[in-house]
Amino acid sequence: MDLENQKRIKDLTEEHNPEDIVVLLGAAEGEASGIAAETVTNGDPTFAGPLTGVSLGLNVYHVCEEEVKADYDPEVYEEQVSMMEMVLDIDEIAEEMKAIREEFSKYSA
Amino acid sequence: MNSVMKGAGYILVHTPDMIMHNGTTQTTERIVNPDSDYLKQIKSHLRPYDRVCAYYPNQTYIGNITPFELAKVEGPWQDLEAPTDDRYGLFGEIMPQDEFYLLIQAADEFELVYLDKDFVAGTLPKLAEDPIITEYILKRIREGVDQERLKKMVEEEGAEGLYKDDHLVGAVRRAHDIDPNLSAHVMIENLVSKASSVLALLYAVKNAGISPEDVEYTIDCSEEACGDMNQRGGGNFGKATAEIAGLTHSTGSDVRGFCAAPAHAVMVAASLVKAGTFKTVAVTAGGSTAKLGMNGKDHVKKGLPILEDCLGGFAVIISENDGKNPEINVENVGWHAVGTGSSPQNVIASLVTQPLAKAGLKVTDIDYYSPEMQNPDITKPAGAGNVPEANMKMIGALAVKEGDLERRDLAAFVEKHGLPGFAPTQGHIPSGVPLMGHARESMLKGEVNRVMIVGKGSLFLGRITNLFDGVSFIMEPNKGESAASSVSSDEIRKLIAESLRDFASGLLESR
C-alpha cells in the first residue's frame, strides 16, 4: 500500500476510535486486495511503510464485497462500481479479503 | 487537414548496476534495512545483456517482433527465447550500460560527469560502432580521469557513482553545494533522462526520413523536472535534448502529466502542426532511473529475474500531411475533465466512448486499443495484474453497459481488439504510445485501419491535486490529401474575395 495512505490511515486511528473505522479498498485483484487488507490489519507485509510492525486490526472490505454492497445507494453503486463488477474477479477478491479479516481483523462483525 | 506521424524511435538501455544504485526501491531499502535478504539476493537475480536482448517484450518494443506476433506467444515470456536477440531493431536499439555512460557524458553541458580513463578507452570504440551515434556526440566524450579522482568525488564530495559490475567507472557531481534541486542525485536522474531521450530522438529523426534541421519544435514528455531552488521545475528538457541530437532549427518545451504526458504531448504536437504553427514537431521522452527494480522485491520473492532492468525511451515525429503517413485525428480526442469523476466507468467513458460517439464510431470500429501497455511479466507477480487486459475489459464492459456489445461477446472483444503489454514499467513510457510505431507500419501496409492511443496519469502522486487524468486520440490511415497538393485557406479567401468583387461590380454595372 502507498506509504502516504498508510500514514493517513495510521493518523486516522489516532484521531478516532479504531473500532469505528472501516477501510474500503478498490484494488483490481485478489492478491493486491489481500496485501492492502493485511497492511491495515496485521501491518505492512512489505516492511516499507509507517504500518510496518503496526497491527491496527481495522475492519476492512473491498467495495465489491456483498457484505458492504447493501449499504450503498443503488444509483451511486450503478454509476460508480457496476462496470467494474463485470471486469473484476470478485469471488477471488472476496475470498482473499475474508481470509485476512478472519485472521487479523480485531473489529470485524 | 490532420497532421501525420512520420516515424518513431523506441529504445531501451540495459542498466544492471543502476538498479542497485539508482532505483528507489533499492536505495530506500539500503537506508531503511541495509542488511536485508533482498539486497543480498539482487545480484543473483540480474539478467545478462544477451538475455535482455532475447526477451520477447524487449524485441517487440524495439520493433523486431510485432505485438500481433507477440499476442500468439503465450506468456510469461521471461523463460522463453525470442526468435531474435538483435541489439538493433526497426525502431531503435537495446543499448548496453557501459556505452550509455558515455552518452550520459555527451549529454552533460556542465562538466558534471567524469569517467574512468581506462573505461573510456575501452568503451568509446564500441559506442563509435553504433551507426546512430553522431560525430558530434562522440566528440563530446572526454578522455577520462584516474580512479583516485573518481573515488574522491564519490567518497568526499557527494558525487553519485556510475558502476560496471560493481566497479566504479564514473561519477556525477552535484551542480550546487546546497541546492537540493541540483544535487548529484537529481543531476544523474535528469542527465539519464536527457541522454536516453537523445537516443530515442536520433532514431525517430532517422526513421522519419527527415533531416535534423527539419524539426522546428521538440516537446519532452518525461517525468523528471529540472531547475534550481528559485524555479524547481524551470524545465525545457525538450530544447536541451534537441541540442545534443543536432536539431539546430528547433526550439521546444516540456509537457508534464505523469504517465499521461506522452499522449498529451502527441496531441499538442499534432495540433501545432495542423494549425500551421510548425511544419515538423518531435515528441520525445527518456527513461527514469528511479523506477529500475521498482517491483524487484516481488520478483525476487517469486524466484524471477529482476525484470525492470532497462530504461525506456521513445520519440515520434509529427509533420504536416504528406498524403501517405497515418493521420493523428485531433478533432475527436478524448479527455478526462476536472468534473468527470474518478470512477472507472466515468474515466473510460471520457477517454473512449465519448470521443468515439463524437466521431460517429462504435467501440468495435477501433481495430486495436493501446491503453497502458505495461508488460504483464512485470506487473502480474507484483500484484498489479495484467494492465492492458484489465483496461480492455473495462472498455468492453462499458460497451456492454452502453448497449454496443453483448455481454457474451465481452471476452472475444478483449481478445480481438486488445494487444499484449510489451513496454517496460517506466511510468510515462508504457502509456499508449508504445503502439504508435507498430501501428504506423501496419497502416502503411494496409493491415490495420484504426487505433486508439489512450494515456492515463495518476496526478494525485504529486500531492497537489487528488485528480486522475487522461487523454486519448485516434490514429488512422491517410485519406490521401497532402498539404502540398491542397489549396490553402488564404488562397480560398482570396478566391472568394475575387468572386465577391466580380459579383459586386456586376451588380453595379446592371444598375
Side-chain angles (χ1 to χ4, degrees), chain A residues 29 31-32 35, chain B residues 74-78 295 298-299 302 304 307 374-389 425:
Chain A
E29 45 95 80
E31 192 183 341
I35 290 171
Chain B
E74 199 180 333
W77 302 297
Q78 72 259 355
N295 296 291
D298 289 307
H299 295 154
K302 291 179 178 158
L304 300 167
L307 295 162
Q374 281 96 337
N375 171 1
D377 277 6
I378 296 172
T379 55
K380 279 167 86 173
N386 183 333
V387 178
E389 188 185 82
T425 48

Side-chain angles (χ1 to χ4, degrees), chain A residues 4 29 31 78-79 82-83, chain B residues 302 343 345 383 401 463:
Chain A
E4 184 62 24
E29 45 95 80
E31 192 183 341
E78 174 65 24
E79 195 199 313
S82 63
M83 185 191 90
Chain B
K302 291 179 178 158
S343 81
Q345 52 219 67
K401 272 185 76 72
R463 309 300 183 211

Side-chain angles (χ1 to χ4, degrees), chain B residues 117-373:
Chain B
K117 60 181 178 204
D118 294 336
F119 171 75
V120 174
T123 314
L124 190 56
K126 276 175 63 188
L127 183 68
E129 277 177 32
D130 186 334
I132 202 74
I133 297 299
T134 59
E135 275 302 311
Y136 174 70
I137 285 176
L138 291 173
K139 278 189 187 144
R140 295 177 61 84
I141 295 155
R142 300 195 300 275
E143 205 176 42
V145 298
D146 56 38
Q147 264 292 312
E148 290 311 307
R149 182 83 191 88
L150 286 180
K151 270 192 189 148
K152 191 160 179 271
M153 287 180 197
V154 173
E155 287 165 14
E156 296 170 31
E157 297 165 11
E160 290 269 349
L162 295 170
Y163 300 86
K164 183 186 178 189
D165 301 327
D166 292 334
H167 297 296
L168 184 68
V169 295
V172 178
R173 309 185 74 180
R174 61 190 176 207
H176 191 279
D177 285 349
I178 53 164
D179 186 346
N181 307 290
L182 296 169
S183 68
H185 168 79
V186 170
M187 290 318 300
I188 197 170
E189 279 192 345
N190 285 350
L191 287 168
V192 162
S193 179
K194 181 182 172 187
S196 45
S197 181
V198 165
L199 188 60
L201 188 52
L202 289 171
Y203 275 105
V205 168
K206 175 181 165 270
N207 294 341
I210 59 170
S211 107
E213 293 81 26
D214 291 339
V215 179
E216 295 172 328
Y217 202 76
T218 302
I219 304 176
D220 177 282
C221 53
S222 72
E223 293 187 295
E224 311 299 357
C226 62
D228 64 7
M229 61 174 109
N230 294 316
Q231 40 269 314
R232 192 163 41 78
N236 225 333
F237 277 89
K239 192 167 188 175
T241 304
E243 179 188 18
I244 307 298
L247 312 186
T248 49
H249 292 180
S250 178
T251 183
S253 64
D254 298 343
V255 164
R256 292 291 179 268
F258 283 91
C259 308
H264 278 282
V266 172
M267 187 178 78
V268 170
S271 301
L272 281 173
V273 172
K274 184 169 182 170
T277 313
F278 298 110
K279 286 191 171 66
T280 301
V281 177
V283 173
T284 187
S288 150
T289 53
K291 297 183 189 81
L292 291 166
M294 194 163 52
N295 296 291
K297 284 184 180 176
D298 289 307
H299 295 154
V300 166
K301 197 160 68 185
K302 291 179 178 158
L304 300 167
I306 293 200
L307 295 162
E308 290 158 308
D309 52 6
C310 286
L311 301 164
F314 96 99
V316 294
I317 302 293
I318 308 292
S319 299
E320 62 179 358
N321 205 314
D322 57 4
K324 181 185 142 214
N325 276 292
E327 298 181 10
I328 309 289
N329 182 337
V330 285
E331 274 162 21
N332 298 301
V333 298
W335 71 94
H336 179 276
V338 169
T340 298
S342 60
S343 81
Q345 52 219 67
N346 291 344
V347 170
I348 297 292
S350 70
L351 297 179
V352 179
T353 52
Q354 285 167 12
L356 286 178
K358 198 176 153 203
L361 298 170
K362 288 194 302 211
V363 168
T364 46
D365 290 332
I366 297 290
D367 293 8
Y368 293 101
Y369 290 86
S370 181
E372 300 158 289
M373 299 304 277

